[in-house]
Amino acid sequence: MLQTELNRDKGGKKEEEVSNAVLEACVGAIRKITSAEAIDLMVKIARNKGEAPRVRLYIVWGMGGIANSGADKLLAELCEDKNPSFQIAAVDSIVERGTKEQLPLLLKILKDNHPWEAKISALAGIDKFGDESCVEPLIDVLEKSKSDEGRLKFELNKVLAKLVGKDLNTEDVAAWRSAWQAKKSGAQDGGKEGGAGATQVEPTEFFGLKTKSTRIVFVLDRTGSMAAPLNATEAPKKEPPKKGPDVSTGAKENPADRPLRDEAAKIKQKYDDRKVETRMDALKREFINTIYNLDPRVTFTVVWYEANQQPWKDVLVPATWANKLEI
């Protein structure tokens, strides 16, 4: 069924004809298989590089519900596959199984050079069935994380808060080590919540979707359908950032930024006051509000699409008032 359904896309030309519901049903059915012979066959297919990659991927996802040494060995192997998609699928299935025996492998994925999606999935597994033995390795991962790995650091903080019992919301490794030592020694306090080391970005919100990621690409539709009437309740207007010190970093405002910010505020007010009648009206208001409120530590760009995609910038740029005003 997987092969038949995936072949309906005719080499990518008719991908919309493939039913996600059928694919998900196949994966769900695979996860209930207990026959050792059938599992051996699936392992063989998943290992066969001559088989269609997407068929192999869905079988790997299906192995998330299978308790079998051969399947476990295959998933561990695929975590190191050269194809990032197989790495991600393998980690997803390991997490689906949810056994403590897999914790060393999940921690290794966090430490090594793996796709960020695989690392986020590994963290979800540690959040699901991890224990205090994971705390020090997680602090080590936080210490070595890069400045642009905002989403990873956010998830690390969330898991550490659960295991340490203190929500510090910080990249300050020393604060986490202090809190962990305090917990192990039975002390009441260790580290200050949201202290000087707290450098998490303010969440970016766009049409109700929130992210702590520090690298964002906005993909905006400006095809003819955006002129259609909007049949939805208008979203509440976002409050602008407070004037004075930056609310997220504590930095004083650069005097040169004030006229840029004030000009951006005028544009924001113009679209806040404009009546929303079409989809494009709603998009303009929401986008301008989102850009106006972007955390200064975010880097971003924009791509519009009609017949062809049209990027605003070819690279991500920082969310300075100059760049906000330009877009």
Side-chain angles (χ1 to χ4, degrees):
M1 286 183 69
L2 280 173
Q3 289 171 323
T4 301
E5 194 64 27
L6 290 170
N7 283 335
R8 286 162 62 89
D9 70 358
K10 306 296 182 184
K13 295 179 180 178
K14 293 188 175 182
E15 197 169 350
E16 69 277 2
E17 293 189 11
V18 177
S19 167
N20 285 330
V22 172
L23 298 178
E24 289 171 7
C26 286
V27 170
I30 288 170
R31 286 178 176 170
K32 296 177 182 177
I33 291 174
T34 57
S35 162
E37 184 180 358
I39 294 170
D40 288 344
L41 176 60
M42 287 192 292
V43 169
K44 183 178 179 181
I45 294 172
R47 268 208 181 94
N48 180 12
K49 295 190 177 181
E51 179 63 73
R54 292 171 73 189
V55 173
R56 293 173 61 208
L57 273 175
Y58 278 96
I59 289 176
V60 172
W61 274 314
M63 288 181 177
I66 294 173
N68 176 276
S69 59
D72 288 345
K73 183 178 179 181
L74 172 70
L75 294 177
E77 289 173 5
L78 290 178
C79 285
E80 304 300 329
D81 195 273
K82 291 181 180 180
N83 186 327
S85 295
F86 284 103
Q87 293 182 38
I88 296 164
V91 177
D92 286 346
S93 288
I94 289 169
V95 171
E96 185 71 25
R97 283 280 308 282
T99 60
K100 289 184 179 292
E101 289 75 15
Q102 303 289 1
L103 285 175
L105 178 57
L106 296 182
L107 289 169
K108 183 177 184 298
I109 288 162
L110 284 173
K111 293 177 181 178
D112 293 346
N113 185 26
H114 288 275
W116 69 267
E117 297 97 329
K119 291 186 176 185
I120 294 296
S121 188
L123 273 171
I126 294 170
D127 184 45
K128 183 178 177 182
F129 51 86
D131 54 32
E132 292 185 350
S133 69
C134 300
V135 172
E136 291 183 17
L138 290 177
I139 294 175
D140 290 341
V141 172
L142 180 62
E143 185 173 30
K144 295 176 182 177
S145 59
K146 299 175 183 177
S147 60
D148 60 2
E149 293 182 309
R151 168 89 182 272
L152 178 66
K153 287 184 279 194
F154 173 68
E155 298 296 336
L156 277 166
N157 264 274
K158 188 169 70 173
V159 178
L160 281 169
K162 178 179 177 180
L163 297 175
V164 176
K166 199 167 188 67
D167 189 2
L168 301 185
N169 189 32
T170 181
E171 298 172 30
D172 187 346
V173 173
W176 278 115
R177 293 198 196 282
S178 175
W180 176 231
Q181 290 301 322
K183 180 172 183 178
K184 288 197 294 183
S185 64
Q188 290 296 314
D189 192 21
K192 295 181 180 179
E193 295 191 23
T199 55
Q200 295 294 322
V201 299
E202 289 296 305
T204 299
E205 181 177 352
F206 188 54
F207 281 111
L209 297 172
K210 292 184 179 181
T211 178
K212 284 272 190 174
S213 293
T214 55
R215 295 180 295 175
I216 301 173
V217 178
F218 294 92
V219 183
L220 307 183
D221 180 359
R222 61 178 185 190
T223 59
S225 65
M226 295 299 286
L230 182 72
N231 298 314
T233 304
E234 288 188 29
K237 298 170 186 175
K238 297 182 178 70
E239 291 297 320
K242 297 176 183 177
K243 294 183 179 181
D246 186 274
V247 292
S248 55
T249 65
K252 292 183 178 179
E253 183 181 41
N254 184 342
D257 284 340
R258 290 175 188 167
L260 302 175
R261 183 199 67 205
D262 291 345
E263 187 63 28
K266 290 178 183 177
I267 296 173
K268 177 183 178 301
Q269 190 64 51
K270 172 184 174 182
Y271 283 88
D272 281 347
D273 293 342
R274 181 176 290 184
K275 188 175 182 180
V276 174
E277 297 180 329
T278 68
R279 295 173 180 174
M280 182 57 77
D281 292 337
L283 174 58
K284 287 180 178 180
R285 175 189 285 182
E286 181 72 10
F287 178 71
I288 288 169
N289 270 273
T290 296
I291 295 298
Y292 186 87
N293 288 285
L294 271 185
D295 188 290
R297 289 162 294 181
V298 167
T299 57
F300 76 103
T301 192
V302 183
V303 178
W304 292 275
Y305 68 90
E306 288 179 280
N308 298 299
Q309 70 275 14
Q310 297 172 313
W312 171 54
K313 304 282 187 184
D314 290 331
V315 296
L316 299 177
V317 297
T320 62
W321 280 112
N323 284 329
K324 290 181 179 185
L325 181 60
E326 180 181 336
I327 189 61

